Amino acid sequence: MTDATTEATHSGGSAGAVPAEDPTAFGWLNTADHKRIGRLFIACSLLFALAGAIADLLVRFDLTSSSDHTVLNADSFVQVFTFTRDALVFGMLIPLFLGIAIYVVPLQVGAPNIAFGRAAALSFWGWLVSAGVLVGAYIANGGPGGGFSDGVDLHLLALAGLVISLLTGAICVAVTTLTMRAPGMYMDRTPPFAWSALVTASMLVVSLGVVLGQIVILYIEHRYGPRFLGGNYGIWSRIDWMYRTPQLFIYVVPVLGVVAEIMLAAARRWVFEPLALYFTMGLVGLFGFGAWANFGITGEGADIVDGLEGIVLVGLYAGALAGVSGLLALLGFTLWQSRNRPRPRSGAVSLTRPNTAVVAAFGAGTLIAVAALVGLIGAGVDWLQIAGRGVDGNAPLRFTTWVTGQQSLLIYGAGLLGGLAALHWWAPKIWGRRLSELAGFASLLAIGGGALLAWLGPTLSGVFTEQPQFVYGAPLLTTRYADQVDDSGAEGLSALGAVGVVIVLVGVALVVLNLLVSVAMRKGAATEADPWDGLTPEWLLPSPPPLGPAAALPELTSGTPLLDAELNGNGLNGTGAAAERDAEEVPA
């Protein structure tokens, strides 16, 4: 392989310039280096995963009794319920993959740094401060349905801060991918994860901009207005679309990028049609756009769901399912094509030697497809009013714990498994250490198995038990939940879901412990630049890359330079797909 390099300032101009980094601990406070910013996002988001899962466990324990609240009370139930969604989505799911993208995407596209490094740093600190204020608002009895008026206002301000901060980080990632790619690397040659990060960032800008406008209206209405929107009790019904499908599909598009990265490296082969790979990811993001629905989904009798227009919601789930299924089929065909490949060198990832990253990626991709299928079935049942759903007091599925089941599949299942795969895959590049495979497989089994139980319990409860409209219709109704589910079987199914969350908590704790031991305590095996025989450009660089600006960057014309070099032996030129076709046409 030739060592073709170019100056670190080859693209992006001042937008991607890396200021000199302070190597001391104080440097973490004023850093503008994408590597440090990404690590900060990753570490803090895992802590929020623990906090959100604990809060979710309290909610699910409370639903295991048909006579009284088990852990919480009528006032705190709604507060803890809404905090759970805030913590798991805005505290864990979005920032976890944003942090991975901030670290990895510049390395994948040959950029010297993330675009607008100071803005990316502001994104993290703004997110962290807003998250702390959000927690304080809930402690002060704020939040949707809260009894302290100033606490409710504080919750809305903190939520707006979270949205603005995450949008800022997403814009930095999008600009990096669009404008700071190495000369010669076109958009249809970018690595899959970089493309998935661009799709998610673009859709976040479109959708979270809507919720930001809603938050502003709710704040003005609650603090100054006549409260025509219901005051503190009208907040949740206007923002809960951010925490449910189809919007959740946008947040897990980076998981599909992780799946594609790992599976193609295991196959040692590029897909036969790269545009199809990019198109399917874009399709999932496009059909995950949930801002159009907002109050229409949660408002009883809304035409967008119950009338003829309900086909739109069904079509969104169908489109997301088609995108996920198409991507998995494309990757599966590529893996089948590589079945006769020679065994790779020792330590390299392969299908014959699957590691935590490979198995977790496979599980995450499968769970996204299952979630899309389940969502399609639920939307169809509500639209067609099958089994009396929506009539005779039998609540539509969208008002029951069925929604909690969908959230469990995409947040606990796809989100955490995808994050586990990404951390094990890029840990050598991020920290220069491999994570423990034993602890990795243990956390994989715990997160995967727990997510399935966390999904199964509330899903079956939503389908087969006589539930009230639950939190999704009006938070106050949930305070009468215990009086309406007596002897319905919902208690046992809620207990099943609670057991699943306990197991997920164990899995997340194992991930955090693995990082502490392998990285913080430096017990993980030190690694070379490319321990997996990867395909994408980041594996051309040292593991981890040094802080600050690189002296030189690889010349890239492809998102798979290592595969190109392996197949045609001409260094870092050509595309993976073209090189593979050329290699196959050469007679033996």
Side-chain angles (χ1 to χ4, degrees):
M1 181 189 309
T2 61
D3 186 21
T5 58
T6 188
E7 293 299 321
T9 56
H10 64 63
S11 67
S14 60
V18 186
E21 284 292 311
D22 184 350
T24 66
F26 182 75
W28 289 91
L29 298 177
N30 63 358
T31 184
D33 186 7
H34 71 102
K35 295 178 283 293
R36 276 180 162 173
I37 298 169
R39 290 170 185 160
L40 289 170
F41 263 120
I42 292 169
C44 294
S45 63
L46 290 176
L47 297 180
F48 269 100
L50 289 172
I54 292 172
D56 191 23
L57 185 60
L58 296 178
V59 170
R60 298 199 191 214
F61 273 150
D62 237 31
L63 300 181
T64 59
S65 172
S66 62
S67 58
D68 197 4
H69 289 279
T70 305
V71 181
L72 307 172
N73 56 44
D75 294 326
S76 61
F77 180 91
V78 178
Q79 300 295 88
V80 178
F81 179 91
T82 55
F83 171 74
T84 298
R85 273 60 188 169
D86 286 334
L88 290 178
V89 172
F90 290 109
M92 184 275 289
L93 186 59
I94 300 177
L96 174 60
F97 288 100
L98 179 60
I100 295 172
I102 287 175
Y103 193 106
V104 173
V105 167
L107 305 182
Q108 288 197 329
V109 301
N113 191 24
I114 192 77
F116 315 117
R118 293 296 184 192
L122 179 63
S123 169
F124 169 75
W125 293 112
W127 168 78
L128 188 63
V129 171
S130 298
V133 173
L134 185 79
V135 173
Y138 277 110
I139 294 175
N141 193 21
F148 179 46
S149 181
D150 288 343
V152 175
D153 293 337
L154 192 63
H155 165 267
L156 290 172
L157 290 174
L159 194 60
L162 284 173
V163 171
I164 292 172
S165 299
L166 294 174
L167 280 176
T168 302
I171 290 171
C172 293
V173 172
V175 172
T176 303
T177 309
L178 290 172
T179 68
M180 296 179 63
R181 299 186 310 278
M185 178 186 282
Y186 297 100
M187 284 303 302
D188 60 352
R189 298 182 181 180
T190 55
F193 182 73
W195 174 260
S196 69
L198 174 61
V199 170
T200 299
S202 303
M203 296 308 299
L204 286 179
V205 170
V206 174
S207 60
L208 292 190
V210 175
V211 78
L212 186 60
Q214 288 183 316
I215 292 172
V216 171
I217 293 172
L218 288 169
Y219 177 82
I220 295 173
E221 185 266 351
H222 181 265
R223 188 166 183 84
Y224 304 108
R227 309 223 169 156
F228 59 92
L229 297 179
N232 56 339
Y233 296 112
I235 293 173
W236 179 250
S237 60
R238 285 165 176 81
I239 65 173
D240 84 317
W241 58 270
M242 299 186 299
Y243 312 100
R244 61 161 70 218
T245 52
Q247 181 70 17
L248 283 176
F249 288 117
I250 292 177
Y251 309 149
V252 297
V253 169
V255 176
L256 297 176
V258 173
V259 172
E261 291 271 351
I262 297 174
M263 291 302 174
L264 293 175
R268 304 299 304 158
R269 187 184 185 97
W270 191 236
V271 291
F272 72 94
E273 184 49 69
L275 289 180
L277 179 75
Y278 303 134
F279 176 76
T280 52
M281 289 186 195
L283 203 63
V284 177
L286 179 64
F287 283 100
F289 182 56
W292 64 275
N294 54 75
F295 190 67
I297 282 185
T298 54
E300 178 63 36
D303 287 342
I304 195 66
V305 173
D306 298 321
L308 293 177
E309 296 88 347
I311 192 63
V312 176
L313 184 60
V314 176
L316 286 181
Y317 283 109
L321 178 60
V324 177
S325 301
L327 175 65
L328 296 180
L330 189 63
L331 295 176
F333 180 71
T334 304
L335 292 172
W336 178 81
Q337 286 181 308
S338 67
R339 65 194 183 282
N340 295 325
R341 284 273 184 178
R343 291 177 63 87
R345 66 175 175 84
S346 176
V349 65
S350 72
L351 297 178
T352 58
R353 286 195 301 268
N355 57 12
T356 301
V358 173
V359 180
F362 177 81
T366 302
L367 288 181
I368 295 178
V370 172
L373 178 60
V374 170
L376 176 61
I377 294 172
V381 167
D382 277 356
W383 178 48
L384 299 174
Q385 296 183 338
I386 296 174
R389 288 286 169 185
V391 298
D392 301 328
N394 197 357
L397 290 177
R398 68 183 182 278
F399 289 150
T400 69
T401 53
W402 170 275
V403 177
T404 303
Q406 288 182 296
Q407 292 167 332
S408 298
L409 269 183
L410 289 172
I411 298 176
Y412 290 143
L416 285 178
L417 280 183
L420 178 66
L423 290 177
H424 273 262
W425 183 250
W426 280 303
K429 191 59 56 181
I430 297 175
W431 295 288
R433 300 273 172 176
R434 290 195 190 193
L435 301 183
S436 167
E437 284 296 319
L438 178 62
F441 272 107
S443 56
L444 188 157
L445 293 175
I447 292 174
L452 289 176
L453 292 179
W455 160 68
L456 190 62
T459 298
L460 293 178
S461 180
V463 173
F464 295 112
T465 63
E466 295 291 335
Q467 291 187 1
Q469 290 186 0
F470 204 58
V471 171
Y472 306 99
L476 287 181
L477 288 178
T478 309
T479 63
R480 302 196 299 271
Y481 178 91
D483 301 328
Q484 301 186 43
V485 297
D486 189 21
D487 298 326
S488 68
E491 309 96 312
L493 293 173
S494 295
L496 180 64
V499 170
V501 176
V502 171
I503 299 174
V504 168
L505 260 174
V506 172
V508 177
L510 285 174
V511 174
V512 175
L513 182 62
N514 195 357
L515 285 170
L516 287 175
V517 173
S518 300
V519 177
M521 299 175 62
R522 305 183 69 82
K523 299 294 185 181
T527 181
E528 56 189 305
D530 181 15
W532 310 126
D533 270 359
L535 308 181
T536 44
E538 72 271 22
W539 302 111
L540 293 167
L541 302 172
S543 292
L547 293 177
L553 294 170
E555 287 185 358
L556 302 173
T557 57
S558 164
T560 56
L562 291 163
L563 179 62
D564 301 339
E566 176 185 326
L567 293 176
N568 58 24
N570 66 345
L572 304 180
N573 298 316
T575 66
E580 183 131 3
R581 286 194 297 268
D582 294 342
E584 290 177 345
E585 291 171 1
V586 176

